[in-house]
Amino acid sequence: MSKSELVLIVEDDPDLAEILDVHLQQEGFRTDIAIDGKVACEKAVHVQPNLILLDLMLPKLSGLEVLQFLKRRKDCTYIPTIIISAKDDENTIVEALNEGAEDYITKPCSPREMLARANAVMRRAALNQGAAEKVRKLDELEVNFTTHTASIEGKEIKLTRTEFDILWSFMKDNNQVFTRKKLLQLIHGPGVHTVDRNIDVHVVSLRKKLGLYGKKIETVRGVGYRMSF
Amino acid sequence: MSKSELVLIVEDDPDLAEILDVHLQQEGFRTDIAIDGKVACEKAVHVQPNLILLDLMLPKLSGLEVLQFLKRRKDCTYIPTIIISAKDDENTIVEALNEGAEDYITKPCSPREMLARANAVMRRAALNQGAAEKVRKLDELEVNFTTHTASIEGKEIKLTRTEFDILWSFMKDNNQVFTRKKLLQLIHGPGVHTVDRNIDVHVVSLRKKLGLYGKKIETVRGVGYRMSF
DNA sequence: TGAAGTTGGTAAAGATCGTGTAAAGAAGGA
DNA sequence: TCCTTCTTTACACGATCTTTACCAACTTCA
């Protein structure tokens, strides 16, 4: 029989975490706490919570980075996320919402409001099962995150997971330059360490597979790569 | 004037639950009440009501999730369900109807209207078992959610419940990639944990049973599975 | 202009990971 | 109980990732 929803609290301040925890449990939710971004990513992947409460100011890995990583993993994309943030940090909030956060609350936060939003967000998430497809286009190159396919002029291009992830990053934030490290982080999350020249190899094969569109992946010398219109 | 039908009221507001309860009993129905989604699922499975009145706004498990859970269980698919919902929540209502709800009423709801609809729905349920069939087709492969059957060229394929659920997920959102974790959730509801490689085993036997159509189930390496046209 | 130092492109090889599948044990239903 | 279905486990093989090495291209500075 199904159990009640599990909420993952990502918060480095133990007091606030405790408060959130208590209130959520009173409301009948199961809870889990992560005190930094790395643990948050691990737990999110592992326990597949129904909701994540994510503080943006975290040690090690910022909340935004956690969000970026999770929203790119197919098995975490659907987990709705509520941002917890200082009031004056509006830019970051906007960024987080753009990255796919569902809602936000500002510190100091009232438990009542938090609960209301948590319930609302989960309800919405349950609806969005067959949510809108995430698609990006560049002329005749089309990348579909939902189906994990890329095609040129309607013809499917067979990409490996890593190649796809890199391409999706490029297409999602067009024109943005990605450093090799950033790409590694987006692909692997925190904790895994590979040489960052490794990215070059993937970019090479991606370029090959994209044919003419491979030329759209620019090398930004000394910095990284980007894809541009 | 006693009727034998049992109505399960799923409603977290005690006052409203009481009102519905009283009126249904006056009309001669037996009743049972569940105050949250989890209890609702348990009771529905256990007591096998003839009708469910389901509030969409529930603590723990949303009404929509309850509905999804029930409609995926072979032994609950047939239980007609009337949604109770706030007037302004039209999207949810549509979703619920798509998920297989038979009718809906909006809050605040008149007992008279509720009774009328309840009677109508049960009458319909008793008469046309297979009226509103939910069917998906892929060439000659036909999957019928209402009857929980699949057939190829009219010849029925015998599937286990799990196999059917997986196939239905694939057919329902064609082309979408499903991670193993996602499929587990769809099959078991939230909270149950089995090793996700388990999915592979079901996919293998599903592919076998589907014969040529088994080839339509693609492996997306590093991600999951998907079925495509 | 060219030498020295950096940075990126690419091929190749080995290491690692993911999947298909069979088989056996566990759980559930009649 | 028996029979069906679910779940776990183990192994093999191929796909994919990672590293390394070498060369080309670019930058800097004399």
Side-chain angles (χ1 to χ4, degrees):
Chain A
M1 176 51 58
S2 32
K3 298 171 188 170
S4 59
E5 276 113 333
L6 176 67
V7 180
L8 176 61
I9 304 165
V10 186
E11 173 60 67
D12 61 313
D13 171 9
D15 294 334
L16 180 50
E18 172 72 12
I19 293 173
L20 296 173
D21 190 42
V22 167
H23 281 89
L24 285 164
Q25 292 199 11
Q26 280 178 352
E27 186 81 1
F29 296 111
R30 288 178 298 140
T31 55
D32 198 348
I33 298 179
I35 55 168
D36 69 47
K38 191 178 169 191
V39 175
C41 291
E42 284 160 3
K43 288 203 171 180
V45 170
H46 192 247
V47 307
Q48 294 273 301
N50 301 89
L51 172 70
I52 299 175
L53 292 181
L54 180 63
D55 188 0
L56 282 182
M57 304 269 276
L58 292 172
K60 299 188 186 179
L61 210 63
S62 82
L64 196 71
E65 287 172 306
V66 173
L67 193 62
Q68 287 172 335
F69 169 66
L70 293 178
K71 287 299 175 186
R72 269 158 230 262
R73 281 193 60 113
K74 296 247 163 31
D75 57 0
C76 294
T77 329
Y78 297 103
I79 305 174
T81 305
I82 298 179
I83 295 302
I84 304 172
S85 158
K87 208 173 207 162
D88 54 6
D89 202 5
E90 284 183 28
N91 289 335
T92 318
I93 292 175
V94 171
E95 272 190 276
L97 292 175
N98 283 337
E99 278 298 330
E102 264 68 21
D103 202 352
Y104 68 94
I105 48 185
T106 51
K107 288 182 189 176
C109 50
S110 88
R112 173 181 292 251
E113 184 193 354
M114 181 273 291
L115 284 176
R117 290 184 187 272
N119 278 311
V121 161
M122 274 189 279
R123 211 155 40 232
R124 246 183 288 146
L127 297 186
N128 279 358
Q129 290 292 8
E133 288 196 338
K134 294 203 236 166
V135 179
R136 292 294 139 101
K137 277 188 170 186
L138 200 179
D139 299 337
E140 287 290 326
L141 168 63
E142 187 173 321
V143 182
N144 186 324
F145 186 84
T146 311
T147 60
H148 197 94
T149 52
S151 61
I152 294 176
E153 290 165 12
K155 234 172 63 187
E156 183 169 343
I157 309 293
K158 213 171 167 320
L159 299 179
T160 70
R161 190 177 65 83
T162 307
E163 286 156 10
F164 183 88
D165 288 347
I166 292 174
L167 179 58
W168 177 254
S169 292
F170 287 155
M171 298 282 283
K172 184 168 175 296
D173 295 309
N174 214 285
N175 279 325
Q176 180 178 138
V177 179
F178 292 87
T179 63
R180 294 172 173 77
K181 281 204 172 106
K182 183 70 184 173
L183 286 169
L184 280 177
Q185 196 184 85
L186 291 172
I187 292 166
H188 295 299
V192 180
H193 289 298
T194 51
V195 175
D196 62 8
R197 285 297 309 281
N198 183 6
I199 291 294
D200 297 28
V201 180
H202 291 299
V203 168
V204 166
S205 57
L206 188 51
R207 279 176 171 155
K208 269 188 199 156
K209 290 187 181 180
L210 292 182
L212 283 175
Y213 285 90
K215 300 223 166 51
K216 299 283 187 175
I217 301 177
E218 290 177 16
T219 302
V220 183
R221 187 162 240 270
V223 186
Y225 296 97
R226 81 172 157 180
M227 200 156 188
S228 59
F229 288 118
Chain B
M1 116 150 200
S2 164
K3 304 176 184 177
S4 58
E5 279 103 339
L6 175 65
V7 180
L8 176 60
I9 303 164
V10 185
E11 173 58 68
D12 60 325
D13 172 4
D15 294 332
L16 181 49
E18 173 72 11
I19 293 173
L20 296 173
D21 190 42
V22 167
H23 280 88
L24 284 164
Q25 292 198 9
Q26 280 179 353
E27 186 79 3
F29 295 109
R30 289 178 298 139
T31 56
D32 197 349
I33 298 179
I35 56 167
D36 68 46
K38 188 183 168 189
V39 175
C41 290
E42 284 161 0
K43 288 203 172 182
V45 171
H46 195 243
V47 308
Q48 292 277 305
N50 302 88
L51 173 68
I52 298 175
L53 292 181
L54 180 63
D55 188 359
L56 282 182
M57 305 268 275
L58 292 173
K60 299 189 184 180
L61 217 60
S62 83
L64 199 73
E65 286 172 304
V66 172
L67 194 60
Q68 287 169 338
F69 171 75
L70 294 178
K71 289 297 176 188
R72 280 178 201 285
R73 279 193 62 112
K74 199 170 190 172
D75 56 354
C76 294
T77 316
Y78 291 100
I79 305 174
T81 304
I82 297 179
I83 295 303
I84 304 171
S85 159
K87 206 173 208 161
D88 55 345
D89 205 353
E90 283 182 30
N91 289 335
T92 317
I93 293 172
V94 171
E95 275 282 332
L97 292 174
N98 284 337
E99 278 296 333
E102 264 66 22
D103 202 348
Y104 69 94
I105 48 185
T106 52
K107 289 181 187 176
C109 51
S110 86
R112 172 181 294 252
E113 182 193 356
M114 182 273 290
L115 284 176
R117 289 182 186 274
N119 278 311
V121 162
M122 274 187 283
R123 208 159 42 233
R124 241 185 291 147
L127 293 182
N128 359 315
Q129 284 289 5
E133 282 185 344
K134 294 173 68 180
V135 177
R136 293 294 143 103
K137 277 187 167 188
L138 200 180
D139 299 337
E140 286 291 326
L141 168 63
E142 188 172 320
V143 182
N144 186 322
F145 188 79
T146 311
T147 58
H148 253 250
T149 54
S151 60
I152 294 176
E153 290 166 11
K155 234 170 63 187
E156 181 169 345
I157 309 293
K158 208 171 169 321
L159 298 179
T160 69
R161 187 176 74 83
T162 306
E163 285 157 9
F164 183 88
D165 287 348
I166 292 174
L167 179 57
W168 179 253
S169 297
F170 286 154
M171 299 283 283
K172 185 163 171 293
D173 292 307
N174 211 283
N175 276 328
Q176 180 175 138
V177 176
F178 293 87
T179 63
R180 294 171 172 78
K181 281 178 179 149
K182 184 75 186 168
L183 286 169
L184 280 177
Q185 274 182 21
L186 290 170
I187 293 166
H188 293 122
V192 179
H193 284 300
T194 51
V195 174
D196 61 9
R197 285 298 311 283
N198 185 6
I199 291 294
D200 297 29
V201 181
H202 291 298
V203 168
V204 166
S205 57
L206 189 51
R207 278 176 172 155
K208 271 187 197 154
K209 290 186 182 181
L210 292 181
L212 283 176
Y213 287 91
K215 300 223 165 52
K216 299 282 187 176
I217 301 176
E218 289 179 18
T219 302
V220 182
R221 186 165 247 267
V223 184
Y225 296 97
R226 110 188 124 173
M227 198 156 189
S228 60
F229 288 118

